[in-house]
Amino acid sequence: MRKNFVEELKWRGMLAQIMPGTEELLQKEMVTAYLGTDPTADSLHIGHLCGIMMLRHLQRCGHKPIILVGGATGMIGDPSGKSQERNLLNDETLRHNQECIKAQVAKFLDFESKEPNAAEMVNNYDWMKDFTFLDFAREVGKHITVNYMMAKESVQQRLNGTARDGLSFTEFTYQLLQGYDFLYLYQHKGVKLQLGGNDQWGNMTTGTELIRRTLGNDVETFALTCPLITKSDGKKFGKTESGNIWLDPKRTTPYRFYQFWLNVSDEDAERYIKIFTSLDKETIDALVEEHKQDPGRRVLQKRLAEETTVMVHSQEALDMAIEASNILFGKATKEALEKLDEQTFLDVFDGVEKFEMAKDQLGQPAIELFTTVCPVFPSKGEMRKMVQGGGVSLNKEKLTDQQRPVTSDDLIDGKYLLAQKGKKNYYLITVK
């Protein structure tokens, strides 16, 4: 008996809308299902993760996942949930982005499996690039009425002036293009189910309608969506002051990624741990119970941050993120600072007070440097007192002699000094 995919999504809070008959089909046979993703960047961000996790659960329930990279549709733009048209990309950029996305998705799905449900990646540019406008008008356009297309919510929003720019013909035809993807994949890959975010429901049902009208009423295809994930305060999930939380470590360091999950609210942690990890129901229920006994220990957030960081990055990346997190609060050493790459180092000390100084000012005694050049201390007297009391550190090492010269040997990454007074006050000095 195959594991019930729909039940799995339900208890995880990952099911929004589902067409009648979908669950019965999934219980009856191995179903090939696809989910489309947009290749406008060379990395996914955590806003894409709910869809990718749907595919992961699908494969684990014995079905076959296909991830479709919208190379053709990425050249046009999708009106769903957007108030403006998006930039159009060239072929080389799209191919590069596709390869990067596949490498990321391979951490969630098994592309190498010898089983019939091995994951696949396809790009709709491959079947759209030689499709002429006349062919498209004849084979696709004639099956769907303008009345049907106009009734879609995403189209209505653009036409009724909630967006300033109206709706271009290009974007109006987007639902036909997405519908044709479903038709093509049904004919060439046996795909019977499309998965997506709830904002895609209109485009997805256009696909099932196009298949029915093209191939006949006895051909059944299905659609299923996950809810759009928000934060408990209603704000957009995955956005921070500094922008998106990306899966690419060059765009978002594993430390910052780990910190994002660690800092979610209790209410969000309880929802997110079901959506963004593969932990089973018993484990999650136990964690929720344990968390309720003592919320201050943040059991849910820690486990959520660990699971997601290992899944997206690696165990090594998690270890480094935890070590980096301990630098601010624990007894770290200068070696620990030097182990961090520059971006992680800057992320760790993101919120601390900063100073800049010229390289030729190095060589001065610490007491001059930290009172006159970079006024970490308001006076030499206060600094002397704190040094005597053991309350001053340079690069995580206790400063015992205020006259000790600070030289280029002290620099971290060849350009930073980290001063600390007391337990919690850090100052980052950039030497230029």
Side-chain angles (χ1 to χ4, degrees), residues 198-245:
N198 211 25
D199 58 337
Q200 292 294 315
W201 182 255
N203 293 340
M204 291 161 75
T205 50
T206 299
T208 60
E209 187 66 11
L210 177 65
I211 291 167
R212 193 177 65 75
R213 293 186 187 185
T214 307
L215 303 176
N217 286 340
D218 53 339
V219 176
E220 287 196 295
T221 49
F222 301 89
L224 180 161
T225 61
C226 61
L228 295 178
I229 311 300
T230 54
K231 296 197 290 198
S232 51
D233 60 10
K235 288 195 183 131
K236 197 166 177 187
F237 162 76
K239 288 265 195 211
T240 64
E241 274 71 44
S242 52
N244 279 321
I245 301 290

Side-chain angles (χ1 to χ4, degrees), residues 125-393:
Y125 183 66
D126 295 334
W127 57 83
M128 292 306 300
K129 65 178 186 292
D130 301 321
F131 206 174
T132 68
F133 182 75
L134 290 176
D135 288 339
F136 188 78
R138 193 176 59 222
E139 289 179 35
V140 181
K142 71 173 186 190
H143 290 293
I144 300 286
T145 66
V146 169
N147 312 44
Y148 179 86
M149 292 169 73
M150 293 283 284
K152 298 290 179 183
E153 195 184 344
S154 59
V155 173
Q156 285 295 321
Q157 282 173 345
R158 293 292 288 264
L159 288 176
N160 293 336
T162 47
R164 288 194 306 275
D165 307 330
L167 180 70
S168 70
F169 173 74
T170 308
E171 286 193 295
F172 183 52
T173 54
Y174 187 92
Q175 57 177 295
L176 291 184
L177 289 169
Q178 190 170 329
Y180 181 72
D181 286 341
F182 201 171
L183 174 61
Y184 181 91
L185 289 172
Y186 174 81
Q187 290 173 313
H188 294 85
K189 299 273 185 192
V191 171
K192 291 185 182 176
L193 172 64
Q194 185 180 172
L195 308 175
N198 211 25
D199 58 337
Q200 292 294 315
W201 182 255
N203 293 340
M204 291 161 75
T205 50
T206 299
T208 60
E209 187 66 11
L210 177 65
I211 291 167
R212 193 177 65 75
R213 293 186 187 185
T214 307
L215 303 176
N217 286 340
D218 53 339
V219 176
E220 287 196 295
T221 49
F222 301 89
L224 180 161
T225 61
C226 61
L228 295 178
I229 311 300
T230 54
K231 296 197 290 198
S232 51
D233 60 10
K235 288 195 183 131
K236 197 166 177 187
F237 162 76
K239 288 265 195 211
T240 64
E241 274 71 44
S242 52
N244 279 321
I245 301 290
W246 298 91
L247 306 196
D248 181 346
K250 292 195 283 295
R251 285 170 174 252
T252 300
T253 59
Y255 165 78
R256 193 173 280 252
F257 184 87
Y258 172 79
Q259 285 291 326
F260 171 81
W261 299 102
L262 201 58
N263 289 313
V264 300
S265 70
D266 288 355
E267 195 181 326
D268 286 338
E270 196 173 321
R271 277 174 44 238
Y272 295 168
I273 201 161
K274 293 173 186 163
I275 297 169
F276 299 110
T277 77
S278 296
L279 296 172
D280 60 36
K281 192 169 188 313
E282 292 69 33
T283 307
I284 289 175
D285 288 346
L287 283 164
V288 169
E289 231 9 81
E290 190 186 344
H291 184 89
K292 282 179 178 156
Q293 304 302 321
D294 184 3
R297 283 177 50 225
R298 299 180 79 73
V299 169
L300 274 179
Q301 284 92 337
K302 282 178 185 163
R303 187 63 183 273
L304 171 65
E306 285 166 13
E307 293 286 329
T308 50
T309 306
V310 170
M311 192 161 55
V312 169
H313 296 293
S314 64
Q315 183 63 46
E316 292 73 39
L318 171 66
D319 296 341
M320 176 147 158
I322 291 173
E323 195 169 334
S325 303
N326 290 338
I327 285 172
L328 278 177
F329 310 108
K331 286 188 163 51
T333 59
K334 187 180 180 190
E335 284 75 54
L337 291 180
E338 285 170 336
K339 266 202 292 197
L340 302 179
D341 61 86
E342 184 178 7
Q343 192 51 57
T344 304
F345 177 79
L346 291 174
D347 282 350
V348 171
F349 298 104
D350 184 29
V352 310
E353 199 172 331
K354 295 178 176 63
F355 296 104
E356 284 185 5
M357 60 178 274
K359 219 165 194 159
D360 59 13
Q361 292 176 296
L362 287 169
Q364 298 185 51
I367 193 152
E368 288 297 329
L369 204 65
F370 296 140
T371 56
T372 313
V373 182
C374 302
V376 170
F377 293 90
S379 69
K380 290 181 179 176
E382 187 183 322
M383 179 165 165
R384 275 195 202 95
K385 211 184 293 172
M386 276 201 89
V387 170
Q388 282 161 4
V392 181
S393 295

Side-chain angles (χ1 to χ4, degrees), residues 345 352-358 362 369-370 373-376 394-395 406 411-412 415-420 426-432:
F345 177 79
V352 310
E353 199 172 331
K354 295 178 176 63
F355 296 104
E356 284 185 5
M357 60 178 274
L362 287 169
L369 204 65
F370 296 140
V373 182
C374 302
V376 170
L394 173 62
N395 299 337
V406 178
L411 296 179
I412 293 168
K415 58 177 157 184
Y416 300 109
L417 295 169
L418 183 71
Q420 184 181 356
Y426 288 94
Y427 304 85
L428 184 61
I429 299 160
T430 306
V431 181
K432 292 190 164 177

